Structures are given as C-alpha cells and as structure tokens.
Amino acid sequence: MISVLRNATYRRLFAAQVVALIGTGLLTVALGLLAYDLAGSNAGAVLGTALTIKMLAYVGLAPVINALVARWPKKPVLIGADLVRAAMALSLPFITEAWQIYVVIFLLQSASATFTPAFQSLIPTILTDERDYTRALSLSRLAYDMEALASPALAALLLTVMSYNKVFLGTVAGFLVSAFMVASSVLPAVSAAEAPQSPLWHRTTLGARIFWRNRRLRSLLALNLVVAAPTALVLVNTVVYVRDVLQRPDADLAVALACFGVGSMAVALSAPRVLERLGDRTVMLSGAAVVPFAMAGAASMTWAAPDSGWWLLLLLWFLLGAANSTILTPSSRLLREASTEETRPYVFTAQFSLSHACYILAYPLAGWVGAAAGLGWAAAGLTIVAMIGSAGAFLSWPRHEAAGAMGRAGEEQKSDQPAPQRSRPRR
C-alpha cells in the first residue's frame, strides 16, 4: 500500500489531505467549545444547526460550484478553496454571536464542497494503474480513520497549554500547509476545450443523470444510505449507549469510538488484496449485508442490555466500522470506471453531494427520535433505513456484468455531451 507514495505528485496531495484532515479534526473540537461558550446548555442546538448547514452546503452547492469551475485548472481551484477555509477558520476566534458561526460554517463548508470532489476526481488521472488507485483509496480511508483517533488526542494535548481559541490556529495551519502542498505539485492540465461545453444547468445535473443511467452507480446510491445509518448511530448516540444504557465512565466513550475506527482500518489495510480476489460487488454487498444485522443487535441491546453489554457494544461497533469500510473504500473505483476524463469531476461531485444527502435523513433520525422516543427506537429506525438501502443495492447491481460495461458507460455519458461542430471543408 505504501508503495503508491513513490509517485511524487500523489505523495504531495496525500500529505495535503492528511494535514487538512487534522486541521478539520481540531476545528470540530474547538467549535464545540466555542458553541458551549456562546450558548451554554443550548450548545447542542447550535452544533446541530451548524451540522445541518454543513450538509445543506454539501448537497446543494457542490454540483453548482463544480459546474462553475469545471473549465478552470485544478490547481488554483484547490488552492483557492484551501485559502478560503483558512480565512474562515481564522475568523472563528473573533465570533461573539451564534448566528456568526452559521455564516462562517456555511462559507467554510462551501469551500470544502469545492475542494473535496475536485481533489478526489484528480487522483485517477495521476494514478492510472488500477492497483495503484486501489492502494490509494485504502490509504485515504486509513487517513480518515487515523484522523478520527489522532485529532481528538492532539486537541486534548493542545488544550492543556492553550485556550480553545488558539486551537483554531491549528486548523488555519492545516489548510495553509495543504494549499502549499498542492501548489508544489505538478498536476495534469485540463484545458477548457476538454470540459463539456454545455449550459450551466446541464453541467450541474450531469453527474446525477450519469448515476441514474448506470446500474452500478444506482446501487452505490443505495449503499450511501446503508453507510449513513450506522455512521449516524455511532457519532450521535455512542455517548448515550456508554453513559445511560451501560453506565460506563466517560473514558469508555473514546474506547467505543476507537473500536468503530479500528474496524474500518482493518478493512482498509486488507482492501487491495481482497478486492483483487473477490471484486467490488462481492466486497461491497457483503458490507451491506452485515450492517442491518449489527444495527439490529444495537437496537435490541437497548431494550435488554445483558451483563456483557459492554463487550457486545465493542463487537458491534467494530463490525459496523468494518462493514462501512467495505463499502466506502472501493466506492471510488465505481466512479472511476463509470466516468470518462471529461465527466469524472461531475460524477465525483454527484457522489459527494448525494452521499451527504443521506445524512440529512440519518442524523435527525438518530438524534431527534432518540431524544423523543428512546435510543432503541432510533436504532430500530436506522436499522430499517439500512435494510432498505441494502435491498436496493442488491437489486440494482447486476449479478453478471458484461465485459463491455465500461464502454457502454462511456457511450451513455457521450450522449449527454453536445454534438461537436463540424468544420466546413476548405475549397
């Protein structure tokens, strides 16, 4: 897996991703403390609103922004997005009202909605070999999981020597270093002539239309729903499981979340070999089959928590992390195979937007239903969501795919492009 870092361009971009992720992790911790400082016991409502704004920016703005910048060179787009994120993070220590948080988060996440799809669609053009690309996907998944473990620990260490307002400077540094790493990279040039020459609305909806016409991408839409259900359960309700259901100390919250991350990391490390042997369909649908059963176990545990409930929770969280990773790690392979050089940014942006749309359903279900009706009913509702997504994925993904599937996908996308103008013959 590490051998892919021999590619100098990818190595710099991966470094940019890692430092930006660490900066984002520091932002999450410091933002929670800022919200509590401003709103006290209503901090949860402030953070919930901020997360909703984040998801709305991802879902609503990502396709539009991508359509607007599709003809621009990738390097200034990525650097500009990083600089905007750094400027927004730098303004957070000076905030005095909750509404100002909402404005800053909207602008910061709009920049992230520009950066992330452009970054992800760039990697397949740098790593053209499928094995190298698969290793890069595993490495990227590993980076996300490591950040989830390392950022809170780093934030806790920094908070022992400085106030939370100064922790925001770590976020600023992360985005600035990311911009520097991108600036020092030699990126493939994409000329304006290679971008689809079509109206803005056509370009905005191009990725979603490609998704709908491709059966494997329709399956990926359903798999996004499968992933959102356990992610929402773990991120929103783990603290309730640990403190209220199992009556465990605060420190065990970190242990439970770590088990979810370790499960994901275990799959990410083995993904290149497993995918080469079994293929995308078997691996991803296996994860989709495991999630509903593990979610059902989490729901039943709240109604009849056994004496061994703590160890059961750790096992279930490990399984959910591993199952999620079997879906998330290979997903970009489907996007790469179903897109052409010209349509790839639109397809990756559509996945970014549509996958986050699932969280607009999952987060309120985990939080609001859990608060109103109890944790068991929230887990049961999310289990049903995962079952629906899993069934849709199995039904959408063809069991036997023809060898020419990629060719047909390319032809489908070409049908969305305006016909080229024929030059008149010279006389």
Side-chain angles (χ1 to χ4, degrees), residues 209-355:
R209 285 185 279 115
I210 292 173
F211 257 78
W212 186 248
R213 293 176 182 179
N214 186 294
R215 291 188 66 183
R216 296 210 299 171
L217 294 188
R218 288 206 301 271
S219 180
L220 181 58
L221 283 176
L223 290 171
N224 289 334
L225 200 60
V226 178
V227 168
T231 302
L233 179 71
V234 170
L235 295 183
V236 175
N237 289 330
T238 298
V239 64
V240 185
Y241 274 102
V242 172
R243 297 295 289 122
D244 289 351
V245 176
L246 300 175
Q247 302 294 314
R248 304 290 297 189
D250 291 344
D252 284 348
L253 173 61
V255 176
L257 292 174
C259 278
F260 183 77
V262 169
S264 180
M265 290 166 60
V267 170
L269 288 169
S270 60
R273 293 189 300 273
V274 175
L275 287 169
E276 187 175 349
R277 178 176 298 181
L278 300 178
D280 297 332
R281 185 181 191 275
T282 300
V283 172
M284 297 177 74
L285 293 186
S286 296
V290 169
V291 166
F293 287 100
M295 296 281 290
S300 63
M301 188 174 63
T302 62
W303 288 310
D307 294 336
S308 58
W310 169 242
W311 299 106
L312 178 60
L313 177 74
L314 297 184
L315 175 62
L316 291 174
W317 263 222
F318 178 87
L319 290 175
L320 289 175
N324 263 15
S325 190
T326 62
I327 298 171
L328 290 171
T329 303
S331 60
S332 291
R333 286 163 51 105
L334 305 188
L335 304 177
R336 179 196 189 194
E337 293 170 2
S339 60
T340 64
E341 187 80 18
E342 294 78 14
T343 60
R344 189 163 293 145
Y346 300 92
V347 173
F348 273 81
T349 301
Q351 165 64 3
F352 180 82
S353 179
L354 294 170
S355 63

Side-chain angles (χ1 to χ4, degrees), residues 56-128:
L56 291 175
Y58 282 178
V59 173
L61 289 183
V64 178
I65 294 174
N66 176 71
L68 290 172
V69 304
R71 303 177 189 180
W72 299 2
K74 284 288 191 293
K75 181 178 287 190
V77 170
L78 295 174
I79 294 173
D82 267 336
L83 294 179
V84 171
R85 294 196 290 183
M88 292 302 102
L90 187 60
S91 70
L92 284 169
F94 304 101
I95 281 179
T96 57
E97 300 289 341
W99 67 267
Q100 296 169 350
I101 292 180
Y102 306 147
V103 174
V104 171
I105 290 300
F106 177 78
L107 295 174
L108 190 151
Q109 300 303 338
S110 297
S112 292
T114 304
F115 182 93
T116 304
F119 178 90
Q120 292 174 340
S121 65
L122 187 61
I123 303 303
T125 66
I126 296 170
L127 301 174
T128 55

